């Protein structure tokens, strides 16, 4: 498929999931969310709420609370184990990642003015595996930089069905979501954007 290399180690596939595949994946995701509802994490220390709501699929979920960031096997509100990662996402990972199976699929829900500040994905023990992310719903302005916070950044609009992979020299690149463009997609009931981020956690 038409892979676009945005920077060394950063690859983008436009509409890797067709509209029909997006709908099937979304239905699967929302069914699993019934068992692991979105909740609003808070920042370590300050306790300020995230503007995104989150959940997870897989053996380990990424969570943030007053005590810090970590991976844990259970939902922080329901205490239930996370649902399994959808097959379509396992298939995607096996097609492009060239690494042992992912253990975490972080699910981010952006509504309204939700955004995600510039960050590194660095809570995983295995930094040799890439991180793979799938966008569904409204467009988003994604910003990527280098491995230092002060490095120059570039911005790219991500649309429903797009897939981004960070690996190798870009595994610890700073990145974030500056804004969502509301109302552009009818995929998600109630509007907004869902991002699914697949990660290998253990070495
Ligand atoms: C998002 N994505 O697209 C947030 N992380 O909503 C991420 O934080 C991300 O897209 C690592 C690799 C790819 C990503
Ligand atoms: Fe990230």
């Amino acid at each position: 498929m038409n892979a676009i290399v945005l920077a060394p180690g950063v690859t983008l596939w436009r509409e890797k999931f067709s509209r029909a595949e997006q709908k099937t994946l979304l239905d699967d995701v929302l069914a699993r969310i019934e068992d692991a509802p979105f909740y609003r994490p808070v920042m370590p220390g300050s306790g300020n709420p995230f503007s995104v709501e989150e959940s997870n699929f897989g053996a380990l979920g990424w969570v943030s609370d007053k005590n810090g960031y970590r991976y844990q096997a259970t939902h922080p509100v329901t205490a239930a184990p996370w649902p399994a990662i959808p097959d379509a996402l396992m298939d995607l990972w096996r097609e492009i990642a060239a690494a042992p199976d992912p253990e975490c699929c972080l699910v981010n829900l952006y509504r309204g003015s939700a955004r995600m500040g510039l960050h590194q994905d660095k809570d995983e023990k295995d930094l040799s595996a890439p991180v793979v992310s799938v966008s569904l719903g409204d467009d988003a302005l994604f910003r990527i930089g280098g491995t230092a916070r002060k490095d120059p950044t570039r911005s790219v609009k991500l649309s429903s069905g797009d897939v981004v992979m960070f690996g190798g020299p870009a595994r610890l690149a700073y990145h974030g979501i500056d804004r969502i463009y509301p109302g552009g997609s009818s995929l998600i009931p109630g509007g907004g954007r869902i991002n699914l981020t697949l990660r290998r956690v253990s070495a």
Side-chain angles (χ1 to χ4, degrees):
M1 240 200 177
N2 44 323
I4 304 164
V5 178
L6 294 177
V10 184
T11 309
L12 166 65
W13 289 263
R14 289 284 188 205
E15 216 174 355
K16 176 91 171 138
F17 288 81
S18 69
R19 177 75 190 195
E21 290 166 339
Q22 293 165 38
K23 179 73 172 79
T24 303
L25 175 58
L26 178 72
D27 288 347
D28 189 341
V29 166
L30 294 180
R32 289 166 204 261
I33 287 292
E34 297 277 319
D35 293 326
F38 286 115
Y39 71 99
R40 196 175 296 277
V42 300
M43 298 292 298
S46 72
N48 291 146
F50 283 27
S51 61
V52 297
E53 294 170 76
E54 295 189 331
S55 187
N56 288 274
F57 304 139
L60 292 170
W62 184 89
V63 300
S64 175
D65 63 20
K66 289 199 78 142
N67 299 319
Y69 304 133
R70 66 185 172 278
Y71 282 95
Q72 65 180 45
T74 55
H75 191 290
V77 178
T78 69
W82 305 103
I85 298 174
D87 287 343
L89 297 176
M90 296 300 291
D91 291 347
L92 170 70
W93 177 277
R94 289 167 184 165
E95 179 189 335
I96 68 176
D101 281 351
E103 296 158 296
C104 173
C105 175
L106 173 64
V107 188
N108 290 122
L109 172 64
Y110 298 76
R111 286 209 154 112
S113 58
R115 54 186 297 284
M116 186 170 296
L118 217 57
H119 68 276
Q120 295 170 294
D121 287 25
K122 62 173 184 189
D123 300 320
E124 301 73 35
K125 283 200 188 71
D126 182 0
L127 295 173
S128 66
V131 181
V132 171
S133 111
V134 181
S135 294
L136 293 174
D138 288 341
D139 290 351
L141 189 59
F142 185 66
R143 185 207 289 257
I144 44 173
T147 54
R149 188 177 278 279
K150 60 168 175 30
D151 287 344
T153 62
R154 69 179 283 189
S155 293
V156 56
K157 198 181 278 195
L158 295 181
S159 301
S160 198
D162 291 356
V163 170
V164 177
M165 183 166 73
F166 276 38
R171 178 62 183 75
L172 291 176
Y174 277 87
H175 58 280
I177 295 288
D178 286 336
R179 60 165 299 195
I180 303 301
Y181 299 87
S185 167
S186 59
L187 188 74
I188 296 173
R193 171 175 184 264
I194 287 176
N195 174 259
L196 304 152
T197 301
L198 297 161
R199 302 165 181 163
R200 179 77 194 173
V201 179
S202 13

